[in-house]
Amino acid sequence: AQVDVRRGLWCTCLATPLGVRRRSVESAAKVGRDPGNRRARGERRSQRARFEMAEVEETVVHEPMDLIRLSLLEQVKVKLRGNRELKGTLHAYDQHLNVVLGDVEETLTTVEIDDETYEEIVQVTKRQMKYLYVRGDGIILISPPLRTT
């Protein structure tokens, strides 16, 4: 039996003409020699593979909320009911699409019709806010930042 000190594992090795080959790997805790309760090598490999896979999947969009998750701490455009638009940094969101935006610019567009000439008069009003909480049922769409590959 041999001890791999870096991993805290006990293993039995088989000498072959091509070199040393491991026959089996057991956790030292399973054999009762290490109170540290360390994992077997195979489990560590699968954990590492899951971690690497998770890193790759951080940028993949599988469902709509993934797109919002990828837009955290980035500038987004939010369209609301009542001809309101918000541009700001997305700080937080939840499953109901309630969002918290920072450094927000609100744009309110009103359209009035002149009684005499029947022309449309479009008024645009803008205001700045440091932080803003927006209830999810008033949101029509959230536009993430443009990403180039």
Side-chain angles (χ1 to χ4, degrees):
Q2 195 175 354
V3 179
D4 188 349
V5 178
R6 293 172 301 178
R7 294 186 179 94
L9 302 173
W10 291 87
C11 61
T12 57
C13 297
L14 176 65
T16 64
L18 299 175
V20 176
R21 184 178 56 155
R22 293 188 177 186
R23 182 185 295 162
S24 66
V25 178
E26 298 174 55
S27 169
K30 282 185 181 177
V31 217
R33 296 183 180 143
D34 181 12
N37 199 12
R38 299 192 183 243
R39 291 189 174 108
R41 184 173 183 197
E43 291 177 19
R44 284 180 185 235
R45 276 196 194 134
S46 64
Q47 182 182 14
R48 190 173 350 162
R50 281 191 303 257
F51 180 73
E52 289 170 358
M53 205 171 181
E55 284 180 350
V56 170
E57 288 187 3
E58 280 184 3
T59 59
V60 177
V61 177
H62 292 291
E63 54 188 49
M65 293 302 253
D66 290 343
L67 190 61
I68 296 171
R69 179 182 47 84
L70 293 173
S71 301
L72 278 172
L73 300 177
E74 294 191 27
Q75 191 82 11
V76 294
K77 185 175 180 180
V78 180
K79 188 171 181 179
L80 302 171
R81 294 180 184 176
N83 294 325
R84 292 179 187 264
E85 289 185 5
L86 304 171
K87 286 183 185 177
T89 305
L90 180 65
H91 287 282
Y93 70 96
D94 65 5
Q95 71 271 16
H96 304 290
L97 213 56
N98 299 321
V99 297
V100 176
L101 298 172
D103 299 322
V104 185
E105 178 182 315
E106 178 186 27
T107 305
L108 175 61
T109 306
T110 56
V111 178
E112 296 177 1
I113 298 177
D114 188 12
D115 292 335
E116 296 174 1
T117 60
Y118 297 106
E119 291 180 9
E120 289 184 351
I121 302 170
V122 179
Q123 292 181 337
V124 178
T125 308
K126 293 186 178 187
R127 66 178 178 162
Q128 300 283 333
M129 290 166 273
K130 186 68 178 165
Y131 284 101
L132 184 66
Y133 170 84
V134 183
R135 186 175 160 99
D137 64 353
I139 295 176
I140 295 173
L141 70 86
I142 296 179
S143 175
L146 181 62
R147 286 181 173 52
T148 57
T149 57

